Amino acid sequence: MIRPATPADIPALHALIRELAEYEKALEEAKATEEQLHEALFGDSPAAYAHIAADDATGETVGCAVWFLNFSTWRGVHGIYLEDLYVRPTARGAGHGKALLTELARICVERGYQRLEWSVLNWNTPSIAFYDSLGARPQNEWTVYRLTDESLTKLGGTD
């Protein structure tokens, strides 16, 4: 079962995000609080969206997709950037990941968005094989850059 997240899902969503960070060997970087997630998803100006995958038999939350809108100047329309896709190891292979991606693709088609994009760590070969099986293709000619912490403060500071 795939459904949009609700405020009541924040604790489970927060736990899933931390599990993903641990899987990606970066738990120390996962600093978001439940309050921050609530504000981002359900505050006055939501900046992100989330969908929950729940086990059909138990209703237990087993996965999530956290996403936001991006914009293509070349295509002139919005798209979806998938920030996090995570399914608990005990629930993998049951179709939850594909169902989450299918729902986001459906939203793209319904709203006229022309891209569904995400990043995957180079060492995450099970996920890469899964994405390839869906017809997704890597954008190898692009390199992701990021400013955080001291570099961001130095560049954006008022010194």
Side-chain angles (χ1 to χ4, degrees), residues 116-139:
L116 172 55
E117 297 180 313
W118 61 92
S119 297
V120 61
L121 291 165
N122 293 333
W123 57 260
N124 193 347
T125 54
S127 292
I128 291 168
F130 169 62
Y131 300 143
D132 286 345
S133 77
L134 298 176
R137 295 294 168 248
Q139 302 298 296

Side-chain angles (χ1 to χ4, degrees), residues 89-159:
T90 56
R92 292 184 187 152
H96 301 294
K98 183 176 181 181
L100 285 163
L101 284 172
T102 298
E103 177 60 11
L104 296 186
R106 185 196 65 74
I107 291 169
C108 285
V109 171
E110 178 182 273
R111 298 181 187 177
Y113 303 161
Q114 295 185 9
R115 290 183 178 166
L116 172 55
E117 297 180 313
W118 61 92
S119 297
V120 61
L121 291 165
N122 293 333
W123 57 260
N124 193 347
T125 54
S127 292
I128 291 168
F130 169 62
Y131 300 143
D132 286 345
S133 77
L134 298 176
R137 295 294 168 248
Q139 302 298 296
N140 294 329
E141 66 273 13
W142 294 91
T143 300
V144 175
Y145 276 80
R146 178 179 297 157
L147 281 170
T148 61
D149 304 325
E150 295 98 27
S151 297
L152 179 63
T153 303
K154 182 178 179 183
L155 184 62
T158 58
D159 300 358

Side-chain angles (χ1 to χ4, degrees), residues 7-158:
D9 292 313
I10 293 294
L13 186 59
H14 186 256
L16 289 167
I17 290 167
R18 293 193 53 80
E19 288 175 32
L20 172 61
E22 186 172 26
Y23 173 77
E24 292 183 349
K25 303 173 178 76
L27 183 57
E28 69 283 353
E29 295 179 41
K31 298 177 182 178
T33 65
E34 289 184 17
E35 293 77 19
Q36 288 172 312
L37 286 175
H38 187 277
E39 182 63 26
L41 295 170
F42 305 107
D44 292 336
S45 298
Y49 308 90
H51 280 75
I52 298 295
D55 182 272
D56 288 333
T58 66
E60 175 192 0
T61 300
V62 295
C64 67
V66 179
W67 57 278
F68 56 88
L69 295 180
N70 59 14
F71 183 79
S72 170
T73 57
W74 289 13
R75 297 206 172 202
V77 296
H78 283 292
I80 287 178
Y81 186 83
L82 176 60
E83 179 67 19
D84 290 336
L85 176 69
Y86 181 71
V87 175
R88 288 190 165 130
T90 56
R92 292 184 187 152
H96 301 294
K98 183 176 181 181
L100 285 163
L101 284 172
T102 298
E103 177 60 11
L104 296 186
R106 185 196 65 74
I107 291 169
C108 285
V109 171
E110 178 182 273
R111 298 181 187 177
Y113 303 161
Q114 295 185 9
R115 290 183 178 166
L116 172 55
E117 297 180 313
W118 61 92
S119 297
V120 61
L121 291 165
N122 293 333
W123 57 260
N124 193 347
T125 54
S127 292
I128 291 168
F130 169 62
Y131 300 143
D132 286 345
S133 77
L134 298 176
R137 295 294 168 248
Q139 302 298 296
N140 294 329
E141 66 273 13
W142 294 91
T143 300
V144 175
Y145 276 80
R146 178 179 297 157
L147 281 170
T148 61
D149 304 325
E150 295 98 27
S151 297
L152 179 63
T153 303
K154 182 178 179 183
L155 184 62
T158 58

